[in-house]
Amino acid sequence: MVEKIRSSSSGLDTPREARNRILPRLRPNPDRFGSGTENIARFMGTPQFLFYMTVFVVVWLTWNTIAPDNLRFDSAALGFTALTLMLSLQASYAAPLLLLAQNRQDDRDRVSMREDRHRAERNLSDTEYLTREIAELRIAIREVATRDYVRSELRSVLEELLEASDGQDPAQQKKTRKKAPENTASLPRAQQGGRNTGP
C-alpha cells in the first residue's frame, strides 16, 4: 500500500515527464526576428509610412461613402467599424514592435558603452605607462654628461696643468710649454666632441 503511494506520487527530486504538446514550441531566431522588427519600426517612423497610411484611409473612406451600396464593404452608418478595427489592430501590433526595437537599441548602446569604458581604461593605463617611461628617461638624461659639463671639465684640467707648469723648474716649463700647444690644439677637438654629445 505504501509502495503504491510512493510510486504514484512524484516529489521535487524526480524530473517531470514531458507533456505532449498540442502546438509545437516556436523558437524563432532572435537576431533575425529582432532585425525584422527594427526594419518595421524604422519604416513606421518615416514620412512614407504616414503618406501611405493617409492615402489608404482616404481611399477607404471615399470608396465606402461614394461607391454603390452593393460594392461597399464598410458601412458609414455604423461609423466605419472595419476601418476602426484595422487601425486599432495596427496600433496594437505597432506598440510591441517599437518596444522590441527600443530594447535592441538599448542593448547595443549598453554594449557600446561597455566597450567605450574598456577602451578608456586601456588608454588611461597606456598613458600612465608612457608617463612613467618619460619620467625615467628624464632622470636618465640628467645623469648624462652634457656639452657644457665637458667644456667646464676640460677648462679645469687645463687650468690645473697651467698652474702645475708655473711651479716647475725652467727646464720643465720649457717641456710643458712645448706640450701646452698640443693640449690647446687638442682642446677644440674635445669641444667638438662635446658638441656632438650634447642633447
Side-chain angles (χ1 to χ4, degrees), residues 14 20 33 45 78 101 107 143 151 184:
T14 58
N20 294 328
F33 184 74
L78 298 176
D107 293 339
E143 296 176 355
R151 283 181 178 177
T184 55

mmCIF file of all heavy atoms in Angstrom, residues 14 20 33 45 78 101 107 143 151 184:
data_model
loop_
_atom_site.group_PDB
_atom_site.id
_atom_site.type_symbol
_atom_site.label_atom_id
_atom_site.label_comp_id
_atom_site.label_asym_id
_atom_site.label_seq_id
_atom_site.Cartn_x
_atom_site.Cartn_y
_atom_site.Cartn_z
ATOM 1 N N THR A 14 12.317 14.164 -8.342
ATOM 2 C CA THR A 14 12.129 13.396 -9.572
ATOM 3 C C THR A 14 11.800 14.337 -10.717
ATOM 4 O O THR A 14 11.028 15.295 -10.548
ATOM 5 C CB THR A 14 10.981 12.389 -9.397
ATOM 6 O OG1 THR A 14 9.799 13.105 -9.054
ATOM 7 C CG2 THR A 14 11.306 11.388 -8.313
ATOM 8 N N ASN A 20 2.781 15.988 -23.598
ATOM 9 C CA ASN A 20 2.520 16.051 -25.029
ATOM 10 C C ASN A 20 1.924 17.416 -25.357
ATOM 11 O O ASN A 20 0.868 17.790 -24.828
ATOM 12 C CB ASN A 20 1.564 14.931 -25.450
ATOM 13 C CG ASN A 20 2.198 13.564 -25.275
ATOM 14 O OD1 ASN A 20 3.395 13.437 -25.424
ATOM 15 N ND2 ASN A 20 1.386 12.572 -24.962
ATOM 16 N N PHE A 33 14.617 37.834 -36.037
ATOM 17 C CA PHE A 33 13.339 38.421 -35.639
ATOM 18 C C PHE A 33 13.525 39.868 -35.177
ATOM 19 O O PHE A 33 12.732 40.750 -35.500
ATOM 20 C CB PHE A 33 12.722 37.579 -34.521
ATOM 21 C CG PHE A 33 11.369 38.040 -34.094
ATOM 22 C CD1 PHE A 33 10.264 37.817 -34.890
ATOM 23 C CD2 PHE A 33 11.192 38.702 -32.886
ATOM 24 C CE1 PHE A 33 9.008 38.235 -34.505
ATOM 25 C CE2 PHE A 33 9.948 39.128 -32.492
ATOM 26 C CZ PHE A 33 8.854 38.897 -33.297
ATOM 27 N N GLY A 45 8.295 54.846 -38.664
ATOM 28 C CA GLY A 45 8.667 56.187 -38.232
ATOM 29 C C GLY A 45 9.102 57.097 -39.354
ATOM 30 O O GLY A 45 9.705 58.140 -39.094
ATOM 31 N N LEU A 78 -22.535 52.783 -39.582
ATOM 32 C CA LEU A 78 -22.012 52.196 -38.342
ATOM 33 C C LEU A 78 -20.691 52.833 -37.902
ATOM 34 O O LEU A 78 -20.063 52.343 -36.957
ATOM 35 C CB LEU A 78 -21.829 50.692 -38.516
ATOM 36 C CG LEU A 78 -23.116 49.893 -38.809
ATOM 37 C CD1 LEU A 78 -22.789 48.434 -39.051
ATOM 38 C CD2 LEU A 78 -24.106 50.027 -37.654
ATOM 39 N N ALA A 101 12.194 46.994 -30.813
ATOM 40 C CA ALA A 101 13.278 47.748 -31.451
ATOM 41 C C ALA A 101 14.017 48.618 -30.441
ATOM 42 O O ALA A 101 15.250 48.726 -30.471
ATOM 43 C CB ALA A 101 12.707 48.613 -32.575
ATOM 44 N N ASP A 107 20.221 47.523 -25.849
ATOM 45 C CA ASP A 107 21.287 46.517 -25.720
ATOM 46 C C ASP A 107 22.531 46.931 -26.478
ATOM 47 O O ASP A 107 23.660 46.793 -25.975
ATOM 48 C CB ASP A 107 20.786 45.163 -26.223
ATOM 49 C CG ASP A 107 19.688 44.588 -25.343
ATOM 50 O OD1 ASP A 107 19.599 45.014 -24.168
ATOM 51 O OD2 ASP A 107 18.914 43.744 -25.834
ATOM 52 N N GLU A 143 71.567 62.389 -15.793
ATOM 53 C CA GLU A 143 72.835 61.791 -15.399
ATOM 54 C C GLU A 143 73.847 61.748 -16.532
ATOM 55 O O GLU A 143 75.018 61.466 -16.306
ATOM 56 C CB GLU A 143 72.578 60.365 -14.890
ATOM 57 C CG GLU A 143 71.712 60.335 -13.633
ATOM 58 C CD GLU A 143 71.395 58.921 -13.209
ATOM 59 O OE1 GLU A 143 71.781 57.993 -13.953
ATOM 60 O OE2 GLU A 143 70.763 58.746 -12.157
ATOM 61 N N ARG A 151 82.951 70.836 -21.332
ATOM 62 C CA ARG A 151 83.789 72.018 -21.513
ATOM 63 C C ARG A 151 84.359 72.515 -20.180
ATOM 64 O O ARG A 151 85.543 72.867 -20.086
ATOM 65 C CB ARG A 151 82.974 73.130 -22.163
ATOM 66 C CG ARG A 151 82.758 72.940 -23.650
ATOM 67 C CD ARG A 151 81.975 74.103 -24.212
ATOM 68 N NE ARG A 151 81.793 73.974 -25.630
ATOM 69 C CZ ARG A 151 81.094 74.841 -26.361
ATOM 70 N NH1 ARG A 151 80.517 75.876 -25.779
ATOM 71 N NH2 ARG A 151 80.971 74.661 -27.657
ATOM 72 N N THR A 184 96.423 72.607 -26.098
ATOM 73 C CA THR A 184 95.489 73.632 -26.575
ATOM 74 C C THR A 184 94.982 73.307 -27.957
ATOM 75 O O THR A 184 93.868 73.655 -28.320
ATOM 76 C CB THR A 184 96.162 75.016 -26.570
ATOM 77 O OG1 THR A 184 97.371 74.942 -27.346
ATOM 78 C CG2 THR A 184 96.501 75.462 -25.161
#
